[in-house]
Amino acid sequence: MIDNNVFIGSSAAFSDVHYAIIQNNVFYGATPKGASNSTFNNNITFSASDSALPYGNNGGSQNKVNVDPKFTKFTANMGFSYDHDYRLQASSPGKNAGTDKTDIGIYGGIGFSETGEPPVPVVRVFTILNGVVAPNGKLNIKISAEAKN
């Protein structure tokens, strides 16, 4: 499953991808070509040389072909940049248009961001406090975690 991504560039996004479910993605300048026997649902393509979805022996529906996703802050032809804001504007055709009724792109779905870390507590330190445990004893640990907002 290839879900809730932003593909930016001028080449084909997929090579030798078979039997995949490809949904809730934005293809900006990158053509979604290269997949076979796959399903494309609720994707947006824009500014690519070949943006048609689905194509070949692939299926799918609810794709928005050659439609500007309207990122909050984005400079075309610049490629990926941490200075960009890939959230969708309120007027975006991808707003709440994903298969799960969340946004198409990286800020939809279960909430991953550019870092790839989910917005749930992430364990940063895991320390075993007693290295030897007697039968029926207790293993004491200390965990430090942080949550991303």
Side-chain angles (χ1 to χ4, degrees):
M1 178 169 286
I2 301 169
D3 194 12
N4 288 96
N5 299 285
V6 173
F7 295 91
I8 299 172
S10 60
S11 61
F14 304 113
S15 177
D16 296 322
V17 173
H18 310 290
Y19 304 101
I21 297 172
I22 303 165
Q23 62 187 23
N24 306 324
N25 301 289
V26 176
F27 297 89
Y28 197 106
T31 176
K33 300 303 181 193
S36 65
N37 298 301
S38 295
T39 303
F40 286 86
N41 291 324
N42 299 61
N43 298 285
I44 294 176
T45 65
F46 186 64
S47 192
S49 59
D50 190 356
S51 296
L53 283 178
Y55 58 86
N57 63 0
N58 300 301
S61 65
Q62 304 300 313
N63 296 293
K64 297 170 184 352
V65 177
N66 211 20
V67 174
D68 188 346
K70 297 184 179 179
F71 294 124
T72 299
K73 180 182 175 191
F74 183 76
T75 304
N77 301 319
M78 186 176 158
F80 174 82
S81 172
Y82 282 105
D83 292 330
H84 292 154
D85 185 344
Y86 298 99
R87 289 177 182 85
L88 302 178
Q89 296 176 25
S91 62
S92 171
K95 201 74 175 157
N96 300 315
T99 57
D100 56 358
K101 307 297 183 221
T102 64
D103 291 353
I104 292 174
I106 60 175
Y107 288 97
I110 60 173
F112 287 88
S113 67
E114 295 95 344
T115 66
E117 291 186 344
V120 297
V122 175
V123 174
R124 298 290 183 202
V125 178
F126 183 95
T127 307
I128 297 174
L129 300 176
N130 58 327
V132 178
V133 179
N136 297 318
K138 292 184 179 182
L139 177 64
N140 297 312
I141 60 171
K142 178 180 180 184
I143 296 174
S144 296
E146 93 180 288
K148 299 285 183 183
N149 291 332

